[in-house]
Amino acid sequence: MAASLDTVFSALADPTRRAILAMLLEDDMAVTDVAEPFEMSLAAISKHLAVLSNAGLISQERRGRVKWCKLEPDALREASVWMQGFGMMDGLDLDAFERFLDAELADPSLLEEKE
Amino acid sequence: MAASLDTVFSALADPTRRAILAMLLEDDMAVTDVAEPFEMSLAAISKHLAVLSNAGLISQERRGRVKWCKLEPDALREASVWMQGFGMMDGLDLDAFERFLDAELADPSLLEEKE
DNA sequence: CGCATATTCAACCAACTGGTTGACATTCCT
DNA sequence: AGGAATGTCAACCAGTTGGTTGAATATGCG
């Protein structure tokens, strides 16, 4: 898991993958369960998970038939630090973070995210 | 500039574009001067700048012959907040989040000096 | 005016992405 | 053993990306 800034940012640049990460924030999940809310094939989700895993953003552990997916938030650290360098967090943006948390926890199905 | 998470993260997922942003951290620059350190055509840099502009990460203002590029760090805000949501969800510890941010900001590696 | 400078546009290309489908390998359950 | 469930693999496809080159468009200068 080299997890360069390239791979991390590009993994994050897809709404399906960000939704998957948000789901894994709640709990570890099996691949099939991850795929369930999405209207695409299991193979497509499997590829998305491979991208996330390659970026180090999740880990996968096979147990019997089932492959469990676990969020690895540490992989966001380097990217986060890079972004902090631009100075926009000077005011400690706790308000925005709190709003984010409320929205995230109240509505875990932010799957309907659209542009 | 709509600047969705998609466009912001995908704009950041390229080392040339991240390098351009870092350069603009120092000062506003003309397109030709942005292109100078890179070993690729001016047209390629022009495209990269269009991507950054479309993501809202820079603004461009034409003055005479010269188009000036200016960093717009606010565009990173939404993405940064999104990322902050990971890693400190256990117990929703806002104090921990604050300490985390302090630590990030104190990290010398991101203070190459600004402005 | 005529030329250099600054930047974009258009066409093209190879490589990558995100999706599909069908076949395949494992593992669990009777 | 047989069958369903869990995932991945391979081939394929359309669309996007990141780069090139050469022409085009302004703009400034003498």
Side-chain angles (χ1 to χ4, degrees):
Chain A
M1 324 335 184
S4 66
L5 285 178
D6 280 24
T7 57
V8 169
F9 279 130
S10 111
L12 294 178
D14 181 284
T16 301
R17 287 194 290 264
R18 287 197 307 277
I20 291 174
L21 291 178
M23 290 165 60
L24 292 177
L25 206 47
E26 311 269 345
D27 213 346
D28 298 359
M29 296 180 77
V31 173
T32 303
D33 296 328
V34 169
E36 194 271 335
F38 297 97
E39 285 177 355
M40 68 180 70
S41 69
L42 184 61
I45 296 293
S46 182
K47 282 193 191 179
H48 278 303
L49 290 171
V51 171
L52 290 171
S53 177
N54 191 52
L57 290 163
I58 68 169
S59 58
Q60 295 182 287
E61 183 202 358
R62 177 143 231 144
R63 223 142 53 211
R65 266 193 302 195
V66 174
K67 198 164 188 179
W68 292 92
C69 304
K70 182 176 184 306
L71 187 64
E72 296 289 349
D74 279 357
L76 284 171
R77 193 175 194 84
E78 191 191 353
S80 183
V81 167
W82 188 89
M83 290 175 67
Q84 303 295 332
F86 289 87
M88 68 293 162
M89 292 303 273
D90 280 345
L92 289 191
D93 195 358
L94 283 177
D95 290 346
F97 178 61
E98 263 175 304
R99 279 197 304 280
F100 162 82
L101 267 195
D102 291 344
E104 201 72 21
L105 290 177
D107 178 19
S109 69
L110 86 182
L111 309 175
E112 282 79 9
E113 175 181 31
K114 46 208 149 219
E115 316 300 300
Chain B
M1 312 316 184
S4 65
L5 286 177
D6 280 25
T7 56
V8 169
F9 279 130
S10 115
L12 294 179
D14 181 284
T16 301
R17 287 193 292 263
R18 288 197 307 276
I20 290 174
L21 292 178
M23 290 165 60
L24 292 176
L25 204 49
E26 312 269 345
D27 213 343
D28 298 359
M29 295 179 79
V31 174
T32 303
D33 296 328
V34 169
E36 194 273 333
F38 296 97
E39 283 176 357
M40 68 181 69
S41 69
L42 185 59
I45 296 294
S46 183
K47 281 192 191 178
H48 278 304
L49 289 171
V51 171
L52 290 171
S53 177
N54 190 51
L57 289 164
I58 67 168
S59 59
Q60 295 182 287
E61 183 203 357
R62 177 141 231 148
R63 224 144 50 211
R65 271 190 300 194
V66 174
K67 199 167 189 179
W68 292 92
C69 305
K70 181 177 184 306
L71 187 65
E72 297 289 348
D74 279 358
L76 284 171
R77 197 178 198 84
E78 189 191 355
S80 184
V81 168
W82 188 89
M83 289 176 66
Q84 301 298 334
F86 294 88
M88 55 220 76
M89 297 301 291
D90 295 338
L92 308 180
D93 190 343
L94 281 180
D95 288 343
F97 175 60
E98 207 161 356
R99 283 196 301 277
F100 163 79
L101 263 195
D102 287 342
E104 295 300 339
L105 290 172
D107 191 319
S109 69
L110 38 97
L111 297 176
E112 316 287 15
E113 126 274 344
K114 41 195 171 167
E115 83 194 310

